Amino acid sequence: MSEAKPIEVAVVGGGCAGISAAFELTRPEHRGKYHVTVYQQGWRLGGKGASGRGPADRIEEHGFHVWLGFYENAFRLLRECYAELRRDPRECPFADWRDAFVPAPFVGVADHSPDGAWQSWMAHFPPVGGLPGDPLTVDNPFSVSSYLVRTASLLRTLLLACQARQGTRPDPQAAGESGSTDWLRGEGRRAPSASEITEAIARLLKYGVLATIAGVIEAARLLETVVGALARYPENIVLRLLDAIRTNAHRQIDILAEQDEEIRRLWNVIEIVLAGLRGMIRFGLAYDPRGFDVIDEYDCLEWLRLNGASERALNSGFVRGLRGLAFAYEDGDFQQPRLAAGVALRGTLRMFFTYRGALFWKMRAGMGDVVFAPYYEVLKRRGVSFKFFHRLANVRLADATRLASGERPYVEALDFDVQAQVNDGREYQPLVEIHGLPCWPAKPDYGQLVDGERLEREGWDFESFWERRKAGAKTLRVVNDFDFVVLAVGIGAIPHVCREIVARDSRWRAMVDHVKSVATQAFQVWMGEGMEELGWDYPLGSISGFTPPFDTMADMRHLIPQESWPTKPRAIAYFCGVLPDPMTPPGDAETDYPRRRRDEVRRNAIHFLNRDIGHLWPKARRGPAEFRWELLVDPAEQKSPGRDSQHDESRFESQFYTANVNPSDRYTLALPGSARHRISPLDNTYDNLTIAGDWTDCGYNSGCVEAAVMSGRLAAHALSQFPPHEDIIGYDHP
Amino acid sequence: MSLGERLRRSDPVRTAPIRTFSTTLRRPESPEGAEPGGATKPPGGRARDGSWSDVVAEGVDLAYRVIEEEIRLGQQAAEQLNRRSYAMGSDMVEAGERLVRYSADLWISWLEFAGSLARNADSLRNLSRPPEPEPARSADATAGATAVSIAITSPQPARVTLHLHPTAEGCSLAVRDLKAGDPGKPALTDVLFTPGAGGMMDLQIRVPQEQPPDLYAGLVVDQRTGQPVGTLSVQVGE
């Protein structure tokens, strides 16, 4: 550490954003310029990504967390963290980041078949070169031009799949006879002129080439070339080609789709791809200085509809699946799917076209164990202080009348509720070791707390917003206790902890009014039969777009070795979805609210398992509407084998379920028209405060780990000018 | 508390991502095979590579790529002109549009080259830089910027944002129609650059009474070469 007094930074909130900011600010290269203290409510880091080890050391999460293969910032920082940690592989099972993640290439959607039943449609996404977080070697993978080419290429692949399904092979002469696109092949391949394109389209139509799927594929090949050099062609030529493809594909494939379920699904995707391409060109996204933001006022369904997508395609499993991954339902209402079109487009393109290694990466243990325990250990080594059981009560601004002329408003004090005191004033030790891996427990270690036995007996819920009991209070003052603040709580908490700022500042009011969040619900089941025995054939597969309220399901069998069951379960599955908000928001005094919502989740889950799960796991039910409850593995039963066993739905009580209703636990939405109300971590209105979280204007304005990490890095940049904008991968993106 | 005791954040160079020109203004990533997460070293650390040979090699490589691309584009342009393709089935407006877009490709190549020179200069500076925080560089740095006087006539509230690349200096500027995000809305067409006094450019914008509120944006180009040198946007209404 340098001899000069370090700059004191208070990071409030130990989720992905806050921890990323702390990691950046304490890099050794800063030479101790910043001393960071992380203030955390309750006993564990992680925010929405917190996990805990419960009975039998089972992993209990807020929901199903998956890291997408394009989370470049999140992976990059975590890889650095593991490298710095230098764990001994002989002692710790996750010494390297690669030990901690497993590729999950099977991703699927659930879709209705014509007879109304649910069917799962799984796709295997092939591995792509490199690993997430590797240095980028291409100039810029994020140009609209490259996205257009990849999308057009996908279109051709999908059409080829339709053709293969139809049982015909491409006819090399089909288009060749017309001489329409000879310049696309062979060594003389080159970008055609606009007039050549016009002539080629005319020939394709004139010779009736487009009357076959092979001809449509040929036209798609032409499209690929055209969008790769979009600047050279008038917009109307490209649109004309697209429309010719759409019209003729419609004629060819619609008939086949009526008879073939697989082709019907492919056709839905083709329609969405065509609408996306058409929209990108029609709305001038390749040239607009606002990039994809320009369409953020539209809902993505509305925008696709404007560009030719049919209602059938918009209601397909493919679209619902993407929407489900983003919890994109306003107020948690499945009848109100809403997602800003630009955010959706950016996310979809990045997800499918810029992933590395695998499309999805699953963690081999809890997110807390894989992500936040390593960060905690590294940050401790770097000298970061952690203050657990500190709940932020108020961000207090300096009195406006005391500001000097030209002086900006600033944070004068931070008021905290101290939820519990640690014995003898010691530092709370939050981790436990399970099979050599440092983990977070599902409950605090009451033994370390003053009056811990009483707190446990009285059921103090340290993570509940409605829990008002506290052991004390603390006020931090600027200059004395901190120089800068990184406010890294969830958006739902902002109106409660930033009352003064929201009251004074119209931008903050607009932000809390428009950047909405949604409650979520989740449950996990441990079962005594393997997934294949239940009728599920996709190892580690995840499926989305299934029936509400649990529209996402993930096979998590890979976690079994990490838990400590006397008799190991043979399957683990996670389910999650949105949880509708009540008509009237709960009051601050409704201490019973979390329990009531949790009861609701239990009822939902039981109903879901009885009624719906049979569509995915046909052998998990004994009748049309009864789940085989004896499948569930009860940890208490394993602990005490002589215990009376229940084999009815009451057995579900032994599983894990949660209602994520705390303001800070709510998932951040990207509603149409909301992006312009987000505030950047770089904003300097309050010159000793920056914000961090997936709710900020962080370049990738979507609720996810990657956005949170990007935001945390931006917050660090706001204080230290590091990392440079250019190193925040995907910040500068169309 | 005296004011001097409190620390303040410095003003950010920018507060929003660059949604356009991002291809041209990105700094290069660490070389392949670098340490995972091998981002640019923080203040106090050495430059990415720190070797003269790497910097020179990269510059030469980029330069060759630009030159090759230019040759290729030039061949295509010549080929197209020889075939009189511009006159075939298209009017002069379309030809103009093609020219502007065609030149946009060329411009990207040139900007990439210019960007590489800037990056390399930066890398060279880093070799001897003291370990102080490096202020982030702006994508729309104003060095060498052209002075523009803006006059807007609008019956509705309107806000004008003009981003000019430094290479716009000395150019005779022209602007294309400003289009709304919604293709159904009419473009803003009455936008004109004219030479002003003292080397300054005058920009006149007239917003018609019936213009629907929206953000209208378009490219600013060098009139002589057709190369894009910036962007202009006008927020009408709200």
Side-chain angles (χ1 to χ4, degrees), chain B residues 88-120:
Chain B
M88 289 172 65
S90 61
D91 59 26
M92 287 307 291
V93 175
E94 279 192 351
E97 186 178 4
R98 272 201 302 273
L99 268 173
V100 170
R101 289 194 174 185
Y102 175 78
S103 60
D105 278 4
L106 203 61
W107 167 241
I108 296 291
S109 303
W110 270 113
L111 267 188
E112 190 170 311
F113 184 45
S116 78
L117 291 180
R119 290 195 295 266
N120 293 335

Side-chain angles (χ1 to χ4, degrees), chain A residues 48-159:
Chain A
K48 291 189 274 286
S51 68
R53 294 303 189 110
D57 295 334
R58 70 184 188 186
I59 294 159
E60 298 173 350
E61 301 269 10
H62 275 63
F64 167 50
H65 299 296
V66 64
W67 283 38
L68 273 60
F70 75 86
Y71 286 1
E72 296 291 339
N73 294 281
F75 273 109
R76 173 174 285 195
L77 253 61
L78 191 63
R79 287 170 64 164
E80 286 186 73
C81 172
Y82 272 82
E84 190 171 332
L85 202 53
R86 292 180 184 277
R87 281 173 167 168
D88 184 344
R90 291 165 301 184
E91 294 175 2
C92 181
F94 298 167
D96 185 86
W97 76 275
R98 276 166 292 202
D99 302 326
F101 285 86
V102 56
F106 281 108
V107 179
V109 294
D111 211 349
H112 283 293
S113 61
D115 60 5
W118 284 95
Q119 291 182 338
S120 47
W121 187 34
M122 298 296 292
H124 178 266
F125 285 83
V128 173
L131 292 169
D134 279 352
L136 296 177
T137 52
V138 290
D139 289 342
N140 182 359
F142 308 129
S143 71
V144 180
S145 173
S146 83
Y147 284 140
L148 284 166
V149 173
R150 300 287 302 271
T151 309
S153 175
L154 172 66
L155 174 67
R156 191 160 59 87
T157 307
L158 289 165
L159 288 166

Side-chain angles (χ1 to χ4, degrees), chain A residues 283-354:
Chain A
F283 282 71
L285 301 189
Y287 305 104
D288 199 298
R290 296 158 292 186
F292 298 167
D293 288 353
V294 71
I295 56 170
D296 266 341
E297 300 293 311
Y298 293 94
D299 172 65
C300 70
L301 297 184
E302 178 191 7
W303 186 75
L304 287 168
R305 195 178 284 120
L306 277 174
N307 291 296
S310 70
E311 292 306 312
R312 173 183 37 73
L314 293 174
N315 290 317
S316 65
F318 176 67
V319 174
R320 278 186 294 99
L322 291 174
R323 214 163 55 210
L325 285 175
F327 292 114
Y329 298 97
E330 188 169 9
D331 301 327
D333 181 354
F334 276 94
Q335 303 306 314
Q336 288 194 71
R338 297 191 77 211
L339 178 61
V343 170
L345 185 62
R346 189 178 293 123
T348 307
L349 292 171
R350 289 217 53 195
M351 174 174 162
F352 288 116
F353 296 144
T354 69

Side-chain angles (χ1 to χ4, degrees), chain B:
Chain B
M1 183 189 71
S2 71
L3 288 176
E5 292 174 329
R6 188 171 72 79
L7 296 181
R8 295 159 179 77
R9 284 168 51 191
S10 53
D11 274 330
V13 176
R14 60 176 161 117
T15 59
I18 300 169
R19 298 294 191 198
T20 187
F21 293 144
S22 58
T23 308
T24 57
L25 297 172
R26 280 180 59 81
R27 295 203 328 195
E29 294 301 321
S30 305
E32 196 163 20
E35 190 68 16
T40 310
K41 293 295 180 192
R46 295 192 62 201
R48 284 164 197 277
D49 292 324
S51 88
W52 281 88
S53 58
D54 285 342
V55 170
V56 172
E58 186 194 8
V60 170
D61 177 50
L62 277 167
Y64 270 115
R65 272 182 19 218
V66 171
I67 291 164
E68 282 166 3
E69 173 69 1
E70 268 193 282
I71 292 170
R72 190 176 66 77
L73 292 171
Q75 285 171 335
Q76 284 178 6
E79 191 176 40
Q80 285 173 340
L81 287 170
N82 286 340
R83 291 182 181 184
R84 297 177 178 274
S85 59
Y86 287 122
M88 289 172 65
S90 61
D91 59 26
M92 287 307 291
V93 175
E94 279 192 351
E97 186 178 4
R98 272 201 302 273
L99 268 173
V100 170
R101 289 194 174 185
Y102 175 78
S103 60
D105 278 4
L106 203 61
W107 167 241
I108 296 291
S109 303
W110 270 113
L111 267 188
E112 190 170 311
F113 184 45
S116 78
L117 291 180
R119 290 195 295 266
N120 293 335
D122 189 48
S123 299
L124 294 174
R125 278 200 305 276
N126 278 342
L127 291 175
S128 56
R129 178 172 294 169
E132 284 303 311
E134 174 193 355
R137 289 169 297 110
S138 168
D140 49 6
T142 52
T146 303
V148 178
S149 165
I150 301 175
I152 182 163
T153 310
S154 174
Q156 310 173 53
R159 191 175 70 242
V160 179
T161 308
L162 176 65
H163 285 284
L164 289 179
H165 194 270
T167 50
E169 188 184 14
C171 292
S172 177
L173 302 180
V175 65
R176 305 179 62 204
D177 290 352
L178 305 184
K179 291 184 178 175
D182 181 349
K185 293 179 180 172
L188 204 54
T189 55
D190 204 347
V191 186
L192 185 67
F193 275 104
T194 51
M200 185 179 280
M201 293 295 290
D202 290 337
L203 170 60
Q204 296 170 32
I205 303 168
R206 195 185 69 79
V207 180
Q209 178 78 43
E210 64 281 4
Q211 198 73 27
D214 205 331
L215 183 62
Y216 296 83
L219 285 177
V220 178
V221 299
D222 178 355
Q223 206 162 21
R224 285 168 301 186
T225 62
Q227 291 178 355
V229 291
T231 59
L232 172 65
S233 58
V234 179
Q235 173 71 58
V236 177
E238 297 187 11

Side-chain angles (χ1 to χ4, degrees), chain A residues 188-253:
Chain A
R189 181 176 170 158
R190 60 178 172 78
S193 68
S195 58
E196 282 176 316
I197 295 291
T198 310
E199 287 161 18
I201 295 170
R203 282 182 193 148
L204 283 169
L205 293 168
K206 183 178 173 185
Y207 288 97
V209 175
L210 286 175
T212 64
I213 291 186
V216 177
I217 292 167
E218 192 64 18
R221 187 199 298 275
L222 174 61
L223 180 71
E224 226 172 298
T225 309
V226 168
V227 297
L230 197 61
R232 299 193 179 105
Y233 309 108
E235 182 182 298
N236 61 356
I237 285 187
V238 186
L239 288 175
R240 200 175 150 210
L241 177 57
L242 260 171
D243 290 344
I245 292 172
R246 187 184 185 286
T247 306
N248 287 280
H250 195 281
R251 278 190 203 129
Q252 300 305 312
I253 301 175

Side-chain angles (χ1 to χ4, degrees), chain A residues 16 38 42 193 303 340 378 433 458 470-471 486 509 546 614 662 686:
Chain A
C16 282
V38 176
S193 68
W303 186 75
V378 163
E433 192 170 300
E458 294 177 358
K470 60 185 179 183
V486 178
R509 270 200 306 284
F546 191 42
N662 288 311
Y686 305 91

